Amino acid sequence: MTNNNEILILGGKGKTGRRVAAQLDNRQIPYRLASRSSALRFDWYDESTWSPTIAGADTAYLAPPVGPSGLAAAGRFVQQAADEGLRRIVLLSGRGVGSPGREFAVYEGQLGLEHAVQASGADWTIIQPAWFAQGFSEDFLRYDVLAGEIRLSAGDGGEAWIDTNDVGDVMTAALLDQAYTGATIAVSGPRVLTMAEVAAELTTATGRPIKYVDLDPEQHIAELIEQGQTPEDSEAVRDLFAVIRNHRSEYVSDGVQQVLGREPRDFTDWARETATTGIWAE
């Protein structure tokens, strides 16, 4: 059974939201974006913007903020949205939420938000992706690639990095097909790579030497704050990478195969094609 009513995209300018919007455009499915800069302003931290955003929406895609306070606000929004008539919610969460070895505020916040979605009374689907490969091309790590040093506190742990286009495809399927109602779907790339291996892949793709610098976790926070991140968000990023550092993310998830019936894109192929766009050109 498919859904063709208007879809609300919260986080429509982010890495996944943009891709979901493009997929809906291709299918001529009506949607509207909501953000602090959209025509109808939406702000997770300004509850006066919530009801006007919710009005008229049937289904919503939620890409919540990173830090614990933002995740808590998203949980309150979810309940209000369901009370005001939102019928279906598809949530972007994180791989491994609720699993052992993730006793950090950011993971507890993500788990609390998942519980809020499940208890809201609306139909729901939760997508739990691995770290996005596009973090190295569309996010703060792009500047590390350009500088030739990826500076993170991930130790020698590995992650099954996923192409965000695969995540967008899975998200779109979940939004349009109610067969995924009540499902929690973990998605990842096809293999685990350490940060040193990621740096080697990017070196090959760009033709420039790129190395991984393993930071002390507290130094990682200090550098993120220096780059303009808030202390809360910086601590959340540190803790997300602590899961990799502690070797808790070294496994592959088959959600892409389950939903799309194909293999996820490999990091090597993603890096090679991304390099041709000039995004890493000096």
Side-chain angles (χ1 to χ4, degrees):
M1 181 178 178
T2 59
N3 169 49
N4 291 322
N5 294 314
E6 182 178 66
I7 293 172
L8 173 64
I9 303 179
L10 299 174
K13 294 188 176 181
K15 286 188 290 296
T16 55
R18 293 199 311 273
R19 288 167 168 85
V20 170
Q23 292 274 9
L24 297 178
D25 274 332
N26 291 339
R27 292 168 169 80
Q28 298 184 316
I29 302 294
Y31 68 89
R32 56 188 163 99
L33 307 179
S35 70
R36 282 179 290 183
S37 60
S38 59
L40 182 62
R41 179 175 171 272
F42 173 77
D43 188 337
W44 292 107
Y45 302 97
D46 182 356
E47 297 189 16
S48 70
T49 67
W50 293 2
S51 287
T53 298
I54 296 163
D58 175 84
T59 297
Y61 166 63
L62 272 61
V66 173
S69 62
L71 291 164
R76 295 192 299 274
F77 170 84
V78 161
Q79 190 57 62
Q80 180 174 326
D83 291 344
E84 294 182 8
L86 193 68
R87 188 180 60 83
R88 178 163 171 73
I89 298 168
V90 176
L91 174 69
L92 175 70
S93 187
R95 199 167 67 123
V97 168
S99 301
R102 291 165 171 81
E103 292 77 25
F104 302 105
V106 62
Y107 273 97
E108 291 171 359
Q110 288 177 327
L111 182 60
L113 179 54
E114 288 192 4
H115 288 164
V117 167
Q118 292 166 335
S120 67
D123 291 341
W124 57 268
T125 305
I126 297 170
I127 309 298
Q128 298 178 326
W131 275 86
F132 300 151
Q134 276 80 352
F136 297 102
S137 61
E138 299 178 13
D139 211 339
F140 67 101
L141 293 174
R142 173 175 175 258
Y143 301 102
D144 285 15
V145 175
L146 290 171
E149 287 189 351
I150 299 173
R151 302 176 63 83
L152 296 170
S153 56
D156 61 356
E159 171 65 280
W161 308 87
I162 187 167
D163 183 344
T164 314
N165 290 304
D166 286 339
V167 180
D169 289 349
V170 171
M171 285 289 183
T172 304
L175 283 164
L176 298 180
D177 192 341
Q178 295 182 26
Y180 298 107
T181 297
T184 298
I185 304 168
V187 295
S188 81
R191 61 191 173 109
V192 172
L193 293 170
T194 66
M195 290 308 312
E197 290 168 333
V198 164
E201 292 276 358
L202 293 173
T203 294
T204 299
T206 63
R208 293 187 292 108
I210 298 166
K211 65 179 180 179
Y212 168 52
V213 178
D214 180 26
L215 299 177
D216 174 83
E218 297 312 304
Q219 183 183 358
H220 192 185
I221 288 179
E223 292 194 6
L224 289 169
I225 292 173
E226 186 177 339
Q227 294 165 14
Q229 299 276 355
T230 67
E232 181 187 65
D233 286 352
S234 298
E235 290 175 5
V237 171
R238 173 203 59 191
D239 292 343
L240 289 167
F241 277 107
V243 172
I244 299 177
R245 188 181 189 90
N246 295 335
H247 303 279
R248 293 287 186 171
S249 205
E250 293 171 348
Y251 61 97
V252 170
S253 301
D254 64 357
V256 172
Q257 295 93 324
Q258 289 179 23
V259 176
L260 304 178
R262 62 167 175 79
E263 292 299 310
R265 194 179 193 192
D266 187 77
F267 191 93
T268 299
D269 297 329
W270 169 81
R272 184 185 301 117
E273 182 174 321
T274 300
T276 67
T277 68
I279 194 71
W280 294 315
E282 301 232 32

Coordinates of all heavy atoms in Angstrom, one line a residue, residues 88-151:
R88 N 1.7 9.5 10.1 CA 2.8 8.6 9.9 C 4.1 9.4 10.1 O 4.3 10.5 9.6 CB 2.7 8.0 8.5 CG 3.9 7.1 8.2 CD 3.5 6.2 7.0 NE 4.7 5.5 6.5 CZ 5.3 4.4 7.2 NH1 4.8 4.0 8.3 NH2 6.3 3.8 6.7
I89 N 5.1 8.7 10.7 CA 6.4 9.3 11.0 C 7.5 8.3 10.5 O 7.5 7.1 10.9 CB 6.6 9.6 12.5 CG1 5.6 10.6 13.0 CG2 8.1 10.1 12.8 CD1 5.5 10.8 14.5
V90 N 8.5 8.8 9.7 CA 9.7 8.1 9.4 C 10.8 8.8 10.0 O 11.1 10.0 9.7 CB 9.9 7.9 7.9 CG1 11.2 7.2 7.6 CG2 8.7 7.1 7.3
L91 N 11.6 8.2 10.9 CA 12.6 8.8 11.7 C 14.0 8.4 11.2 O 14.3 7.2 11.1 CB 12.4 8.4 13.2 CG 13.6 8.9 14.1 CD1 13.6 10.4 14.3 CD2 13.4 8.2 15.5
L92 N 14.9 9.3 11.1 CA 16.3 9.1 10.9 C 16.9 9.0 12.3 O 17.0 9.9 13.0 CB 17.0 10.2 10.1 CG 18.5 10.1 9.9 CD1 18.9 9.0 9.0 CD2 19.1 11.4 9.4
S93 N 17.5 7.8 12.6 CA 18.1 7.6 13.9 C 19.6 7.2 13.7 O 20.2 7.8 12.8 CB 17.3 6.5 14.7 OG 17.8 6.3 16.0
G94 N 20.1 6.3 14.5 CA 21.5 5.9 14.3 C 21.7 4.4 14.5 O 20.9 3.8 15.3
R95 N 22.6 3.9 13.8 CA 22.8 2.4 13.9 C 23.3 2.0 15.2 O 24.2 2.7 15.8 CB 23.8 2.0 12.8 CG 23.7 0.5 12.5 CD 24.5 0.2 11.2 NE 25.9 0.4 11.4 CZ 26.8 -0.6 11.1 NH1 26.5 -1.8 10.8 NH2 28.1 -0.3 11.3
G96 N 22.7 1.0 15.8 CA 23.1 0.5 17.1 C 22.5 1.1 18.3 O 22.8 0.8 19.4
V97 N 21.5 2.1 18.0 CA 20.8 2.7 19.2 C 20.2 1.6 20.0 O 19.5 0.8 19.5 CB 19.8 3.7 18.6 CG1 18.9 4.2 19.8 CG2 20.5 4.9 18.0
G98 N 20.4 1.7 21.3 CA 19.8 0.8 22.3 C 20.7 -0.5 22.5 O 20.4 -1.3 23.3
S99 N 21.8 -0.6 21.8 CA 22.7 -1.7 21.9 C 23.8 -1.4 23.0 O 24.1 -0.3 23.3 CB 23.4 -2.0 20.6 OG 22.5 -2.3 19.6
P100 N 24.4 -2.5 23.6 CA 25.4 -2.3 24.6 C 26.6 -1.5 24.0 O 26.9 -1.5 22.8 CB 25.8 -3.7 24.9 CG 24.7 -4.6 24.5 CD 24.1 -3.9 23.3
G101 N 27.3 -0.8 24.9 CA 28.5 -0.1 24.5 C 28.2 1.3 24.0 O 29.1 2.0 23.5
R102 N 27.0 1.7 24.2 CA 26.6 3.1 23.8 C 26.0 3.9 24.9 O 25.0 4.6 24.8 CB 25.6 3.0 22.6 CG 26.3 2.4 21.3 CD 25.3 1.9 20.3 NE 25.9 1.6 19.0 CZ 26.5 0.5 18.8 NH1 26.6 -0.5 19.7 NH2 27.1 0.2 17.6
E103 N 26.6 3.8 26.1 CA 26.1 4.5 27.2 C 26.6 6.0 27.3 O 27.4 6.4 28.1 CB 26.6 3.8 28.5 CG 25.9 2.4 28.7 CD 26.5 1.3 27.8 OE1 27.7 1.5 27.4 OE2 25.8 0.4 27.5
F104 N 26.1 6.7 26.3 CA 26.4 8.1 26.1 C 25.2 8.9 26.0 O 24.1 8.4 25.5 CB 27.3 8.3 24.9 CG 28.6 7.6 24.9 CD1 28.8 6.5 24.1 CD2 29.7 8.0 25.7 CE1 30.0 5.8 24.0 CE2 30.9 7.3 25.7 CZ 31.0 6.2 24.9
A105 N 25.2 10.2 26.4 CA 24.0 11.0 26.4 C 23.4 11.1 25.0 O 22.2 11.0 24.8 CB 24.3 12.4 26.9
V106 N 24.2 11.1 23.9 CA 23.7 11.3 22.6 C 22.9 10.0 22.2 O 21.8 10.1 21.5 CB 24.8 11.6 21.5 CG1 25.8 10.5 21.5 CG2 24.2 11.9 20.2
Y107 N 23.4 8.8 22.5 CA 22.7 7.6 22.2 C 21.5 7.4 23.1 O 20.4 7.0 22.6 CB 23.6 6.4 22.4 CG 24.4 6.1 21.1 CD1 25.7 6.6 21.0 CD2 23.9 5.4 20.1 CE1 26.5 6.3 19.8 CE2 24.6 5.1 18.9 CZ 25.9 5.6 18.8 OH 26.6 5.3 17.7
E108 N 21.5 7.9 24.3 CA 20.3 7.8 25.2 C 19.3 8.7 24.6 O 18.1 8.4 24.7 CB 20.7 8.2 26.6 CG 21.6 7.1 27.3 CD 22.1 7.6 28.6 OE1 21.9 8.8 29.0 OE2 22.9 6.8 29.3
G109 N 19.7 9.9 24.1 CA 18.8 10.8 23.5 C 18.1 10.2 22.2 O 16.9 10.4 22.0
Q110 N 18.9 9.6 21.4 CA 18.4 8.9 20.2 C 17.4 7.8 20.6 O 16.3 7.7 20.0 CB 19.5 8.4 19.4 CG 20.3 9.5 18.7 CD 21.5 8.9 17.9 OE1 22.1 7.9 18.3 NE2 21.9 9.5 16.8
L111 N 17.8 7.0 21.6 CA 16.9 6.0 22.1 C 15.6 6.5 22.6 O 14.5 6.0 22.3 CB 17.5 5.1 23.1 CG 16.7 3.9 23.7 CD1 16.4 2.9 22.5 CD2 17.5 3.2 24.8
G112 N 15.7 7.6 23.4 CA 14.5 8.3 23.9 C 13.6 8.8 22.8 O 12.3 8.7 22.8
L113 N 14.2 9.3 21.7 CA 13.4 9.8 20.6 C 12.7 8.6 19.8 O 11.6 8.7 19.4 CB 14.3 10.6 19.6 CG 13.6 11.1 18.3 CD1 12.4 11.9 18.7 CD2 14.6 11.9 17.5
E114 N 13.4 7.5 19.7 CA 12.8 6.3 19.1 C 11.6 5.9 19.9 O 10.5 5.6 19.3 CB 13.8 5.2 19.0 CG 14.9 5.4 17.9 CD 15.7 4.1 17.6 OE1 15.3 3.1 18.2 OE2 16.6 4.2 16.8
H115 N 11.8 5.9 21.2 CA 10.6 5.5 22.1 C 9.5 6.5 21.9 O 8.3 6.1 21.9 CB 11.1 5.4 23.5 CG 12.0 4.2 23.8 ND1 12.7 4.1 24.9 CD2 12.2 3.1 23.1 CE1 13.4 3.0 24.9 NE2 13.1 2.3 23.8
A116 N 9.8 7.8 21.8 CA 8.7 8.8 21.7 C 7.9 8.5 20.4 O 6.7 8.6 20.3 CB 9.3 10.2 21.7
V117 N 8.7 8.2 19.3 CA 8.0 7.9 18.0 C 7.1 6.7 18.1 O 6.0 6.7 17.7 CB 9.1 7.8 16.9 CG1 8.5 7.2 15.6 CG2 9.7 9.1 16.6
Q118 N 7.7 5.7 18.8 CA 6.9 4.4 18.9 C 5.7 4.6 19.8 O 4.7 3.9 19.6 CB 7.8 3.3 19.4 CG 8.9 2.9 18.4 CD 10.0 2.1 19.1 OE1 10.2 2.2 20.3 NE2 10.7 1.3 18.3
A119 N 5.7 5.5 20.7 CA 4.6 5.7 21.7 C 3.7 6.8 21.3 O 2.7 7.0 22.0 CB 5.2 6.0 23.1
S120 N 3.9 7.4 20.1 CA 3.2 8.6 19.7 C 1.7 8.3 19.3 O 0.9 9.2 19.4 CB 3.9 9.3 18.6 OG 3.8 8.5 17.4
G121 N 1.4 7.1 18.9 CA 0.1 6.8 18.4 C 0.1 6.9 16.8 O -0.9 6.4 16.2
A122 N 1.1 7.5 16.2 CA 1.2 7.5 14.8 C 1.9 6.2 14.3 O 2.6 5.6 15.0 CB 2.0 8.7 14.3
D123 N 1.6 5.9 13.0 CA 2.4 4.8 12.4 C 3.8 5.3 12.3 O 4.1 6.5 12.1 CB 1.8 4.5 11.0 CG 0.4 3.9 11.0 OD1 0.1 3.3 12.1 OD2 -0.3 3.9 10.0
W124 N 4.8 4.4 12.3 CA 6.2 4.8 12.3 C 7.1 3.8 11.6 O 6.8 2.6 11.6 CB 6.7 5.0 13.8 CG 6.5 3.8 14.7 CD1 5.5 3.5 15.5 CD2 7.4 2.7 14.8 NE1 5.7 2.3 16.1 CE2 6.9 1.8 15.7 CE3 8.7 2.4 14.3 CZ2 7.5 0.6 16.1 CZ3 9.3 1.2 14.6 CH2 8.7 0.3 15.5
T125 N 8.2 4.3 11.1 CA 9.3 3.5 10.7 C 10.5 4.2 11.1 O 10.6 5.4 11.1 CB 9.3 3.4 9.1 OG1 8.0 2.9 8.7 CG2 10.4 2.4 8.6
I126 N 11.5 3.4 11.6 CA 12.8 4.0 12.0 C 13.9 3.4 11.2 O 14.0 2.2 11.0 CB 13.0 3.6 13.5 CG1 12.0 4.3 14.4 CG2 14.4 4.1 14.0 CD1 12.0 3.8 15.9
I127 N 14.7 4.3 10.6 CA 15.9 3.9 9.8 C 17.1 4.3 10.6 O 17.3 5.4 11.0 CB 15.9 4.7 8.5 CG1 14.5 4.6 7.7 CG2 17.0 4.2 7.6 CD1 14.1 3.2 7.4
Q128 N 18.0 3.3 10.8 CA 19.2 3.4 11.5 C 20.4 3.2 10.6 O 20.9 2.1 10.4 CB 19.3 2.4 12.7 CG 18.1 2.5 13.7 CD 18.3 1.4 14.8 OE1 18.7 0.3 14.5 NE2 17.9 1.7 16.0
P129 N 21.0 4.3 10.1 CA 22.1 4.2 9.2 C 23.5 4.2 9.9 O 23.6 4.8 11.0 CB 22.0 5.4 8.3 CG 21.4 6.5 9.2 CD 20.4 5.7 10.1
A130 N 24.4 3.6 9.3 CA 25.8 3.8 9.6 C 26.3 5.2 9.3 O 25.5 6.0 8.8 CB 26.7 2.8 8.9
W131 N 27.5 5.6 9.7 CA 28.0 6.9 9.3 C 28.0 7.1 7.8 O 28.3 6.2 7.0 CB 29.5 7.0 9.8 CG 29.5 7.5 11.3 CD1 29.5 6.7 12.4 CD2 29.7 8.8 11.8 NE1 29.6 7.4 13.5 CE2 29.7 8.7 13.2 CE3 29.8 10.1 11.1 CZ2 29.9 9.9 14.0 CZ3 29.9 11.2 11.9 CH2 30.0 11.1 13.3
F132 N 27.7 8.3 7.4 CA 27.6 8.7 6.0 C 29.0 8.9 5.4 O 29.8 9.6 5.9 CB 26.8 9.9 5.8 CG 25.4 9.9 6.3 CD1 24.7 11.0 6.7 CD2 24.7 8.7 6.3 CE1 23.4 11.0 7.2 CE2 23.4 8.7 6.8 CZ 22.7 9.8 7.2
A133 N 29.2 8.3 4.2 CA 30.4 8.6 3.4 C 30.5 10.0 3.1 O 31.6 10.6 3.1 CB 30.4 7.7 2.2
Q134 N 29.3 10.6 2.8 CA 29.3 12.1 2.5 C 29.7 13.0 3.6 O 29.9 14.2 3.3 CB 27.9 12.4 2.0 CG 27.6 12.1 0.5 CD 27.3 10.7 0.2 OE1 27.3 9.8 1.1 NE2 26.8 10.4 -1.0
G135 N 29.9 12.5 4.8 CA 30.6 13.3 5.8 C 31.9 13.8 5.4 O 32.4 14.9 5.8
F136 N 32.6 13.1 4.4 CA 33.9 13.5 3.9 C 33.8 14.5 2.7 O 34.8 15.0 2.3 CB 34.7 12.3 3.6 CG 35.0 11.4 4.7 CD1 34.3 10.2 4.9 CD2 36.0 11.7 5.6 CE1 34.5 9.4 6.0 CE2 36.2 10.9 6.7 CZ 35.5 9.7 6.9
S137 N 32.6 14.7 2.2 CA 32.5 15.5 1.0 C 31.5 16.7 1.2 O 31.5 17.7 0.5 CB 32.1 14.7 -0.2 OG 30.8 14.1 0.0
E138 N 30.5 16.5 2.2 CA 29.4 17.5 2.3 C 29.3 18.0 3.7 O 28.4 18.8 4.0 CB 28.1 16.9 1.9 CG 28.0 16.4 0.5 CD 26.7 15.8 0.2 OE1 25.7 15.9 1.0 OE2 26.6 15.1 -0.9
D139 N 30.2 17.7 4.6 CA 30.2 18.0 6.0 C 31.5 18.5 6.4 O 32.4 18.7 5.6 CB 29.7 16.9 6.8 CG 28.9 17.3 8.1 OD1 29.0 18.5 8.5 OD2 28.1 16.5 8.6
F140 N 31.7 18.7 7.8 CA 32.9 19.3 8.3 C 34.2 18.5 8.0 O 35.3 19.0 7.9 CB 32.8 19.5 9.8 CG 32.7 18.2 10.6 CD1 33.9 17.7 11.3 CD2 31.6 17.5 10.7 CE1 33.8 16.6 12.0 CE2 31.5 16.3 11.5 CZ 32.7 15.9 12.1
L141 N 34.0 17.2 7.7 CA 35.2 16.4 7.4 C 35.8 16.7 6.0 O 36.9 16.3 5.7 CB 34.9 14.9 7.5 CG 34.6 14.4 9.0 CD1 34.2 13.0 9.0 CD2 35.8 14.6 9.9
R142 N 35.0 17.3 5.2 CA 35.5 17.8 3.8 C 36.8 18.6 4.0 O 37.7 18.5 3.2 CB 34.4 18.5 3.1 CG 34.9 19.1 1.8 CD 33.8 19.8 1.0 NE 34.4 20.4 -0.2 CZ 34.5 21.7 -0.3 NH1 34.2 22.5 0.7 NH2 35.0 22.2 -1.4
Y143 N 36.7 19.5 5.0 CA 37.9 20.4 5.2 C 39.1 19.6 5.7 O 40.2 20.0 5.4 CB 37.5 21.5 6.2 CG 36.3 22.3 5.7 CD1 35.0 22.1 6.2 CD2 36.5 23.2 4.6 CE1 33.9 22.8 5.7 CE2 35.4 23.9 4.1 CZ 34.1 23.7 4.7 OH 33.0 24.4 4.1
D144 N 38.9 18.5 6.4 CA 40.0 17.7 6.8 C 40.6 17.0 5.5 O 41.8 16.9 5.4 CB 39.5 16.6 7.7 CG 39.3 17.1 9.1 OD1 39.2 18.3 9.3 OD2 39.2 16.3 10.1
V145 N 39.7 16.5 4.6 CA 40.2 15.9 3.4 C 41.1 17.0 2.6 O 42.2 16.7 2.1 CB 39.1 15.4 2.6 CG1 39.6 14.8 1.2 CG2 38.4 14.3 3.3
L146 N 40.5 18.2 2.5 CA 41.2 19.2 1.7 C 42.6 19.6 2.4 O 43.6 19.9 1.7 CB 40.4 20.5 1.7 CG 39.1 20.4 0.8 CD1 38.3 21.6 0.9 CD2 39.5 20.2 -0.7
A147 N 42.6 19.5 3.7 CA 43.9 19.8 4.4 C 44.8 18.6 4.5 O 46.0 18.8 4.9 CB 43.6 20.2 5.9
G148 N 44.4 17.4 4.1 CA 45.3 16.3 4.0 C 45.4 15.5 5.3 O 46.2 14.6 5.5
E149 N 44.5 15.9 6.3 CA 44.6 15.3 7.6 C 43.1 15.1 8.1 O 42.4 16.1 8.4 CB 45.3 16.1 8.7 CG 46.8 16.1 8.5 CD 47.5 16.8 9.7 OE1 46.8 17.3 10.6 OE2 48.8 16.7 9.8
I150 N 42.7 13.8 8.3 CA 41.4 13.6 8.9 C 41.6 13.4 10.4 O 42.3 12.5 10.9 CB 40.8 12.3 8.3 CG1 40.6 12.4 6.8 CG2 39.5 11.9 9.0 CD1 40.2 11.2 6.1
R151 N 41.2 14.4 11.2 CA 41.5 14.5 12.6 C 40.2 14.1 13.4 O 39.3 14.9 13.5 CB 41.9 15.9 12.9 CG 43.1 16.4 12.1 CD 43.5 17.8 12.4 NE 43.9 18.0 13.8 CZ 45.1 17.7 14.3 NH1 46.1 17.3 13.5 NH2 45.4 17.9 15.6

